[in-house]
C-alpha cells in the first residue's frame, strides 16, 4: 500500500514509518523539519516538508495514498495557545475526501472514550482527570482532533494509550477496551507504533478507539 504519515519525525511517528516499511508498504512522510528526518530512511521514504496549515502540501501527500496515519499530537508546552491541530486535522480529512482516500489511523490518549469502555474502569478516568486538570489545552485539542475524524465519514481507527515509554519493543501487547480487556497503563513507543502501523490494512477496529498496552 501507499501510506502517508503525518507527524512522521515525532517519537511515535518515525517508528510508525519504520514499521510500515518493514511491513512492505511504500511511505510518504509529511514533516515540519527536514533536519529531523533520519538518515536511515535514505531514498526509500518520500519526504514532503510542510505545515498542516499548508493545504497544498497536505493535498500533495494525500493524493495517491491508500491510507493515512496521523501521529501528530498536541504540544505540551504550557506557553502554547489555541488548538491549531484541530484545523490541521480538518485539512487532512478534507484532502482525503477530495482524493477518495478512505483509511485513516490516528493515535490519542484515554481522554477520548469509546462506547465499549466500561464506566467503572479507573485507568482512563484517572488519566483523563489528570489531563483536564494539568494539561487542559492539550486535552481539549486532542479531543477536538478526534471529533473531526470521528465525524468525517472515513474508515477511521484511533489507537489509544496512557503511558508511552522509551525502550526496545517487547513484542507483546494487549488491546481492546477499558474495563473489558485486561489492560495496563504502560506501552513502549515501539510497540505502540507496531500496533498502529498494523491497523492500515486490518479492518478489525474500523470506527473504533481500541486501547493498547504492554
Amino acid at each position: 500500500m501507499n501510506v502517508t504519515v503525518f507527524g512522521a519525525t515525532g517519537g511515535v511517528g518515525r517508528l510508525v514509518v519504520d514499521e510500515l516499511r518493514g511491513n512492505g508498504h511504500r511511505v510518504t512522510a509529511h514533516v515540519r523539519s527536514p533536519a529531523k528526518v533520519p538518515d536511515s530512511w535514505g531514498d526509500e521514504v518520500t519526504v514532503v516538508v510542510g505545515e498542516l496549515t499548508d493545504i497544498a502540501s497536505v493535498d500533495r501527500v494525500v493524493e495517491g495514498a491508500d491510507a493515512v496515519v496521523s501521529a501528530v499530537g498536541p504540544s505540551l508546552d504550557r506557553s502554547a495557545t489555541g488548538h491549531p491541530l484541530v484545523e490541521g486535522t480538518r485539512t487532512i480529512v478534507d484532502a482525503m475526501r477530495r482524493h477518495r482516500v478512505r483509511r485513516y489511523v490516528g493515535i490519542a490518549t484515554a481522554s477520548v472514550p469509546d462506547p465499549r469502555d466500561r464506566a467503572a474502569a479507573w485507568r482512563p478516568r484517572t488519566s483523563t482527570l489528570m489531563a483536564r486538570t494539568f494539561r487542559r489545552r492539550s486535552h481539549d485539542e486532542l479531543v477536538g482532533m478526534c471529533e473531526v475524524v470521528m465525524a468525517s465519514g472515513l474508515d477511521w481507527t484511533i489507537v489509544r494509550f496512557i503511558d508511552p515509554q522509551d525502550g526496545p519493543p517487547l513484542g507483546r501487547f494487549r488491546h481492546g477496551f477499558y474495563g473489558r480487556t485486561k489492560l495496563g497503563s504502560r506501552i513502549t513507543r515501539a510497540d505502540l507504533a507496531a500496533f498502529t502501523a498494523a491497523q492500515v490494512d486490518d479492518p478489525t477496529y474500523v470506527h473504533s478507539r481500541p486501547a493498547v498496552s504492554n
Side-chain angles (χ1 to χ4, degrees), residues 18 27 33 55 73 81 91 101 112 116 129 131-132 134 152 159 167 170 172 183-184 187 198:
D18 290 341
V27 180
S33 173
I55 295 175
T81 59
T91 299
V101 181
V112 181
R116 280 150 288 201
L129 177 61
R132 285 176 174 169
F134 299 106
S152 67
V159 178
L170 301 181
R172 61 183 186 277
L183 294 162
I187 185 165

Side-chain angles (χ1 to χ4, degrees), residues 109-159:
T109 66
S111 294
V112 181
D114 186 281
R116 280 150 288 201
D117 294 335
R118 286 182 174 163
W122 66 269
R123 292 184 193 276
R125 288 191 290 112
T126 301
S127 175
T128 300
L129 177 61
M130 295 290 286
R132 285 176 174 169
T133 302
F134 299 106
R135 302 284 186 184
R136 187 59 192 242
R137 190 207 66 82
S138 299
H139 167 274
D140 291 349
E141 185 169 39
L142 183 65
V143 171
M145 292 165 59
C146 292
E147 287 176 345
V148 169
V149 172
M150 292 185 291
S152 67
L154 301 174
D155 295 332
W156 54 266
T157 297
I158 295 172
V159 178

Side-chain angles (χ1 to χ4, degrees), residues 4-39:
T4 294
V5 180
F6 290 92
T9 57
V12 175
R14 60 184 175 80
L15 297 174
V16 168
V17 170
D18 290 341
E19 286 289 336
L20 289 168
R21 293 170 61 201
N23 293 342
H25 301 302
R26 294 176 295 276
V27 180
T28 298
H30 188 270
V31 306
R32 294 179 60 189
S33 173
K36 294 183 179 180
V37 173
D39 292 338

Side-chain angles (χ1 to χ4, degrees), residues 98-117:
R98 192 159 49 247
H99 294 293
R100 299 182 180 181
V101 181
R102 297 288 309 166
R103 190 69 173 116
Y104 176 102
V105 180
I107 59 174
T109 66
S111 294
V112 181
D114 186 281
R116 280 150 288 201
D117 294 335

Side-chain angles (χ1 to χ4, degrees), residues 53-74:
T53 54
D54 182 355
I55 295 175
S57 75
V58 171
D59 192 82
R60 176 184 169 191
V61 297
V62 169
E63 184 177 11
D66 297 305
V68 165
V69 177
S70 176
V72 300

